[in-house]
Amino acid sequence: MGGTPTTAGRRVLPLGACLLGVGLLVAVAHWPALSTRAFTFDDRQYLIDNHLVRHPSWASAAQLFAEVLTPSTVRGYYQPLTMVSLMLDWARGGRTDNLRVFHQTSLALHVTNTLLVIVLLYQLFGQVWAAALAGLLFGVHPMTVEPVAWLSERKTLLATFFTLGSLILYVAWARHPAPPWRGSKVSRQAAGASPHPQPLPDSEAGSRPRAARGWGWYVGALVVFALALLAKPTSTPLPVLLLLLDFWPLRRLSWRAVLEKVPFFVVAGAAALITIESQGRTAALAMPHQYSPAWIALTICHNTVFYLYKIAWPARLSAHYPFPEPMSLASPSVLAGVIGTPLLLIVLLLSLRWTRAAATGWLFFFSAIFPTLGIIGFTHVIAANKYAYLPATGLLLILVAALNQVGRRAGRLPRASVAAAVLVVAGLSIHGTRRHLTVWQDTETLYRHMLALAPRAPTLHNDLGDELTRQGRLEEAIACYQDALRLNPNLYDPHNGLGIALLNQGRPEQAIPHFQAAIRLDGQRGAAYSGLGAALARLGRDEEAYRYFEQSLQRDPHIAEVHANMGAILATRGDLDRAIAHYHQALRLKPESARTHFNLGVALARRGDLEGAVGELREAIHLEPHYVLAYGALAEVLMRLHRTAEAIDVYRAALRVAPHEARLRAALEEALRQQASQPAAP
């Protein structure tokens, strides 16, 4: 593949050594991510409540791919590859109480992405040391913590993996038939000395026809681009990125090069249409014409400076950057953007007199980040660390070009000094990354960190309330929901969360108005109907409750608690067959619910299926070893089956859990009397 085996080895071995070394350093920097336990924002949709992810099968995968315009389990855009990736991790043993499996995959993807960045930079510039140093800075940067530690950001890692793969394949095709690792030729062409590398001799080109081999790279780049879009549609700008690489450093931009991108633009256009339609149907979406030109300009200026500042000085990082208040020049961050952006553009234009690197690298960054720049509204934050993950490659182009200049014009000592300086920065970044990962140790720690940086963000108060409700700290949770509603009384989630907390506190009358308010604010979501039905059921208003449960299932048929509650009402009515059907559906959606297994066991026993009841009650005890009611019910069913010895063992186990339970002790004594009165076996 160009040169003798000895010379090829001289080219490949340094690259391989650098890839290995950088990969190890990146893994070390992010290793604490494997033990993080934080959930945030949309993780509930992606994992906790996603019945397709939690039930891995070909049918689940097929449904994820088939729901193009109206995804049913995640509100928002079409991203089937991401969902299948999470589903495969669930099949490998990942669970909501064992996130290590998910984090292993995410860390592996991040390390791989770092190595792909190095390969791409080496392809373009031909300098191993420069590509490796730039890739190291990418891999250990503290801003990369977010896509690695945030479960639902698997989409960012996957999309970047495929996008980088597409870029690498495209560069290989653009330089065909010269292999990507032909360092000397690549280096000369990147410097502008040889924009069109000479073809290899036929003896080195292999036995296949050159055209066929070349088009293989092209088709591969197009296919991998499509895979990137199936992971996350923010990869849409890739055709523009290819044209920028054609301009520099490939130096092959022409009308022919533009025409070559037509298939890429067609794929990108189709993905953009699907994304807008699916996002608009299932979640929030605001198109550019809904904003004023001044607001758009302020947003672009703010984010231009904001991202550069965070990349250069990654302090006070957060997973939630709210919009400045006010969104005007009165805000210091907006004012900094309005001043800094024109200055940056002037510097970039002036730089074209000496090099294309600065302007092209910045345009690469800007184009890649444009879908998430805020011009199209789909989120409640103005910026996010994860949005800069792939676009940072554009800034690395500038860095490698600068390092190459140092390598060509300076001696070994200055070059070593520059490399040492970069390694010092990498060391500081590793420290910052590991420190920032401590914020992600658990959900409460993460939200308290974000609230310390953005105390007026109602979403953060609400989500912290959800976590405190899960922990059973209801008074603290209620205070969080009330804080959220003081900041914005017209939000669905705090009303719904406050209703749930009050209901769990035994205050259904006070919960009802909040569920009703949530329904008024967003009548298309099933959770508030479910909560209102549960509150009415607590008050004995079963008929009203059942109607709200039905409305909840009409909007979302995959809420396990609704099926369980409907089963309880039907069982009370004596409609055991329908009750059992709902209990089974609830367990298909949430098989770890001890209470539902208990209720199903009781219903089966009432219907006469005693053996089935035994299995369900044993499962309830297995899931919740202190479930005293389940012990008692299981023992009673065993007595009905005349399995007295087993029943006695269950009663004794129950008394070890609740030694002062008089009813269980009396039942045990009765079972012992019955056992004593039974005739001895012959």
Side-chain angles (χ1 to χ4, degrees), residues 4 7 17 30 71 104 133 299 314 378 381 420 444 446 466 573 597 606 652:
T4 65
T7 58
H30 286 275
Q104 286 172 345
L133 289 175
T299 300
F378 58 89
V381 296
E444 183 179 352
L446 176 62
D466 289 346
R573 294 177 181 173
H597 281 287
R606 288 177 59 190
R652 285 173 172 161

Side-chain angles (χ1 to χ4, degrees), residues 66-74 76 78 277-278 281-282:
E67 294 175 342
V68 178
L69 298 180
T70 53
S72 64
T73 58
V74 174
Y78 184 57
E277 184 67 20
S278 59
R281 287 188 182 190
T282 61

Side-chain angles (χ1 to χ4, degrees), residues 50 77 97 112 141 274 296 317 354 449-450 512 578 635 681:
N50 196 301
Y77 46 74
D97 58 352
T112 304
H141 198 284
I274 290 172
I296 291 175
L317 295 178
W354 301 282
H449 167 77
M450 291 189 288
I512 286 174
R578 291 175 64 199

Side-chain angles (χ1 to χ4, degrees), residues 385-506:
N385 301 330
K386 58 187 179 180
Y387 296 156
Y389 187 73
L390 172 65
T393 309
L395 304 181
L396 297 178
L397 295 175
I398 303 173
L399 175 61
V400 174
L403 291 175
N404 276 351
Q405 289 294 325
V406 172
R408 281 195 293 269
R409 296 182 179 180
R412 290 188 177 182
L413 184 59
R415 187 189 308 172
S417 300
V418 171
V422 173
L423 290 174
V424 169
V425 173
L428 293 173
S429 294
I430 290 173
H431 173 73
T433 292
R434 293 178 71 90
R435 183 177 180 181
H436 188 45
L437 277 166
T438 62
V439 169
W440 290 79
Q441 63 182 305
D442 58 60
T443 305
E444 183 179 352
T445 301
L446 176 62
Y447 274 98
R448 293 202 183 278
H449 167 77
M450 291 189 288
L451 274 169
L453 299 175
R456 292 186 53 78
T459 299
L460 300 182
H461 288 284
N462 173 80
D463 289 3
L464 178 57
D466 289 346
E467 172 60 16
L468 295 172
T469 298
R470 187 192 68 79
Q471 295 181 25
R473 295 156 60 183
L474 299 178
E475 284 297 337
E476 295 174 77
I478 288 170
C480 288
Y481 294 129
Q482 290 171 339
D483 287 340
L485 291 172
R486 272 193 291 272
L487 292 165
N488 188 342
N490 297 315
L491 292 176
Y492 171 96
D493 289 316
H495 277 295
N496 187 61
L498 183 52
I500 292 171
L502 291 168
L503 184 60
N504 290 345
Q505 213 176 40

